[in-house]
Amino acid sequence: MFASRYFLTFLAATGLAAYASPVPEAEKRQLSDVLGIVGELQSVVGGILPQISGLTGSGTATTGNLAPLVGDLVGALSDATSSIAGLGSVAGSATGSSDVANALAPIISEITSTLNTATTAVPGLGPIIGTLGLDAILNGLLVQVEIIVGGVIALLTGLLGSIVGLLVNLALSLTLATLGLGLVAYARPIPVVEERAGLTDILGIIGNLQSTVGGILPQIDGLVSSNTATTGNVIPLVSQLVGALSTATSAVGAVGSVSGGSTDVANAIAPIISEITTTLNGATTAVPGLGPILGTLGLDAIINGLLVQLEIIVGGVIALVSTLLVDVANILIKLALTLTLATLGL
């Protein structure tokens, strides 16, 4: 609960600090734009969930036919997140926040309810949902809405209290934490693991991530330097990066709270983020059409999700990483990693 309160306070104080000046009043979008995006999301989701329910209801559901539909859900959530991020801040009001929360809550409830039934029917689906990054992108949507229309998350917490069990069953730990429902979900607090063992686990996960990323980035750099980079050959590699980050986020979430070690963790994760963003900056310069596609792949949401998960498990990491990544702030802005920028306060 503390981690969630810290994160929301952090967002409220620094969420728009990445920009040189506030969004001019003339550029602020109307609340109706936000509601329109949420409405469009509801429409798309409303076309996907019945297909999942139909498969589970008929007894024909498998990981093979459900995974693509979950991927469609993640894509729809990612599109909505990117669209909302493109809006200027909305002049807040209690009514506006309430309208957005009331529009968004049923979508989250319907998604989790449908997927909970699906994972019961097809037990192997659970790990796939984690790999596809549903938790990270759903959490990213909540954070982005909070940045644009303040006060929404607090309202959603009240509206979604009845589905805590479903969120837990689906292992949506980032979403639970942001909603402040993480500890409500458990009969007892997450145990604090022995410091040395827990820290070793976290650093091991980050080390594995570094190894995987270290095998992907040189391929992107090679394509760029040889002038053979295209959206067609770079996108699959970016998808591998997103997958590696998602796997690391899930693994970190499975570790109990660690007491101490924030400096070691920050020093381990910061270079990975710096290397990823530097390589992708070069790639987007070489392939201009790549930039918009990065948003649809959920890169921003999953980097942000990993940072938030590390903060939950090892307190104090975000502030240290923020200092270590000051030099790449402009690259983060160029890549439109707005969630990550907001969380880091850059």
Side-chain angles (χ1 to χ4, degrees):
M1 184 70 76
F2 169 78
S4 179
R5 287 200 302 269
Y6 164 83
F7 180 54
L8 292 180
T9 301
F10 194 73
L11 266 180
T14 64
L16 298 179
Y19 301 92
S21 61
V23 180
E25 188 66 27
E27 296 180 10
K28 290 184 178 180
R29 304 296 184 93
Q30 297 298 316
L31 179 63
S32 59
D33 290 335
V34 178
L35 292 172
I37 293 169
V38 175
E40 184 175 347
L41 175 63
Q42 174 69 75
S43 178
V44 175
V45 168
I48 299 170
L49 296 183
Q51 298 181 61
I52 297 176
S53 297
L55 291 169
T56 55
S58 65
T60 58
T62 65
T63 55
N65 56 27
L66 290 180
L69 294 171
V70 176
D72 290 344
L73 284 176
V74 172
L77 290 165
S78 179
D79 288 345
T81 302
S82 298
S83 295
I84 289 174
L87 301 177
S89 58
V90 174
S93 69
T95 301
S97 300
S98 179
D99 288 344
V100 174
N102 286 328
L104 196 53
I107 300 175
I108 298 172
S109 180
E110 291 163 11
I111 289 173
T112 53
S113 178
T114 298
L115 291 182
N116 186 66
T117 301
T119 55
T120 300
V122 185
L125 181 63
I128 294 175
I129 289 176
T131 301
L132 290 173
L134 177 68
D135 186 25
I137 194 61
L138 182 56
N139 181 68
L141 175 61
L142 295 179
V143 173
Q144 192 61 61
V145 169
E146 180 69 22
I147 292 171
I148 302 299
V149 186
V152 171
I153 286 179
L155 294 171
L156 283 172
T157 298
L159 294 170
L160 296 176
S162 62
I163 64 166
V164 170
L166 301 182
L167 295 172
V168 173
N169 288 345
L170 294 172
L172 303 184
S173 56
L174 298 177
T175 303
L176 280 162
T178 294
L179 289 171
L181 297 172
L183 296 183
V184 175
Y186 300 90
R188 60 187 180 185
I190 298 174
V192 177
V193 300
E194 193 269 323
E195 180 176 341
R196 178 183 248 169
L199 180 59
T200 299
D201 290 341
I202 295 294
L203 292 175
I205 293 166
I206 296 176
N208 289 337
L209 175 62
Q210 175 69 75
S211 178
T212 303
V213 168
I216 299 170
L217 296 184
Q219 297 181 61
I220 298 176
D221 291 333
L223 291 170
V224 171
S225 63
S226 65
N227 294 319
T228 58
T230 65
T231 55
N233 56 26
V234 173
I235 288 173
L237 294 171
V238 177
S239 295
Q240 290 178 33
L241 286 175
V242 172
L245 290 162
S246 178
T247 298
T249 301
S250 298
V252 169
V255 178
S257 299
V258 175
S259 176
S262 56
T263 299
D264 290 338
V265 173
N267 286 332
I269 195 64
I272 299 175
I273 297 173
S274 178
E275 290 164 12
I276 289 173
T277 53
T278 298
T279 290
L280 292 183
N281 183 56
T284 55
T285 300
V287 186
L290 180 64
I293 297 174
L294 292 180
T296 66
L297 294 175
L299 178 69
D300 186 23
I302 196 61
I303 292 178
N304 181 68
L306 177 57
L307 289 173
V308 172
Q309 190 65 64
L310 286 171
E311 181 66 30
I312 293 169
I313 303 299
V314 188
V317 170
I318 285 178
L320 294 171
V321 172
S322 178
T323 300
L324 294 170
L325 293 180
V326 166
D327 290 343
V328 297
N330 286 335
I331 295 178
L332 295 174
I333 292 172
K334 183 177 178 181
L335 294 175
L337 302 184
T338 54
L339 300 178
T340 303
L341 281 161
T343 293
L344 292 173
L346 297 173

